[in-house]
Amino acid sequence: QSALTQPPSASGSPGQSVTISCTGTSSDVGGYNYVSWYQQHPGKAPKLMIYEVSKRPSGVPDRFSGSKSGNTASLTVSGLQAEDEADYYCSSYAGSNNFFGTGTKVTVL
Amino acid sequence: EVQLVESGGGLVQPGGSLRLSCAASGFTFRNYWMHWVRQAPGKGLVWVSRINGDGSSTSYADSVKGRFTISRDNAKNTLYLQMNSLRAEDTAVYYCARENIAAAGDYWGQGTLVTVSS
């Protein structure tokens, strides 16, 4: 068992877009359409931003979008805003387990 | 309003035991899978365990298998995590989370800190 691989950091200026990748295997990301993304601000609980690869829960801005190709899922944040600065984690169902990604710190320059 | 409130964390010596609780409200608890997820200080999220609605199906991360037991009491709307043979590497904030229909945690508690140290 190992975590899904994410880049440690990503950044962009306000209004720009940033894309975070999440690489797994055919046993997790590639095998199921149950990839989700979470935003976590310091000292706070994670917040669900995307589920089932590309669906947004009620209340999540449409600036957040998700996609998947093969064993790699991606989260794109368009029109970056200051409040988007946070840690982001992907997660995938994998049959008898669930896995989280290693996490990506997004900085708004 | 959906609420999840964890409790039971604290300082415990290596080899000791602790039971965490997660009190749920605002939804029909027995209809949902529930998860425990932990986060060591300054580190990322790690999935720990999950349980189905009636408690008949459970899964664990390899790192806690044989030491931790997840359970639930649907009459009390409460999720539990019994942690035995605790190690320093189990030190973390432990979150409970409700799973939506697509294996995602749609509601999370605020977390409870477990510190394993002598």
Side-chain angles (χ1 to χ4, degrees):
Chain A
Q1 281 185 336
S2 59
L4 308 175
T5 301
Q6 297 180 232
S9 63
S11 63
S13 300
Q16 291 187 330
S17 295
V18 65
T19 297
I20 304 165
S21 61
C22 169
T23 301
T25 69
S26 58
S27 297
D28 39 66
V29 174
Y32 305 91
N33 284 326
Y34 289 149
V35 176
S36 49
W37 289 90
Y38 302 87
Q39 177 191 67
Q40 188 181 35
H41 288 109
K44 301 295 187 182
K47 175 186 176 183
L48 180 65
M49 305 303 284
I50 295 287
Y51 68 97
E52 227 170 323
V53 176
S54 60
K55 297 180 179 178
R56 278 187 311 277
S58 174
V60 172
D62 59 7
R63 302 185 293 103
F64 291 85
S65 61
S67 62
K68 190 185 85 166
S69 177
N71 297 336
T72 299
S74 298
L75 173 72
T76 298
V77 185
S78 305
L80 269 173
Q81 299 183 4
E83 59 263 35
D84 299 332
E85 184 161 297
D87 294 324
Y88 291 83
Y89 296 90
C90 63
S91 180
S92 177
Y93 174 81
S96 58
N97 302 88
N98 290 63
F99 293 110
F100 281 94
T102 49
T104 299
K105 181 175 181 58
V106 170
T107 302
V108 181
L109 302 171
Chain B
E1 178 194 5
V2 172
Q3 282 198 317
L4 298 170
V5 180
E6 300 95 338
S7 61
L11 175 64
V12 61
Q13 292 189 336
S17 298
L18 212 55
R19 188 177 82 156
L20 306 183
S21 299
C22 170
S25 61
F27 65 101
T28 305
F29 182 66
R30 65 180 180 273
N31 288 350
Y32 288 85
W33 285 74
M34 297 294 295
H35 295 246
W36 286 101
V37 176
R38 69 184 182 184
Q39 186 171 35
K43 302 298 184 181
L45 300 173
V46 175
W47 176 80
V48 173
S49 183
R50 70 178 186 222
I51 187 169
N52 70 341
D54 65 10
S56 62
S57 177
T58 59
S59 296
Y60 299 90
D62 283 351
S63 58
V64 306
K65 202 172 293 183
R67 300 188 300 123
F68 290 11
T69 302
I70 190 171
S71 63
R72 63 194 298 160
D73 185 336
N74 287 342
K76 295 183 177 179
N77 289 342
T78 302
L79 174 72
Y80 302 101
L81 186 68
Q82 177 67 43
M83 304 185 296
N84 299 330
S85 303
L86 282 162
R87 308 166 179 166
E89 54 264 36
D90 296 319
T91 294
V93 173
Y94 284 74
Y95 295 100
C96 64
R98 187 185 85 166
E99 179 185 303
N100 71 1
I101 58 170
D106 59 354
Y107 286 93
W108 295 64
Q110 83 289 349
T112 187
L113 176 62
V114 172
T115 302
V116 184
S117 175
S118 55

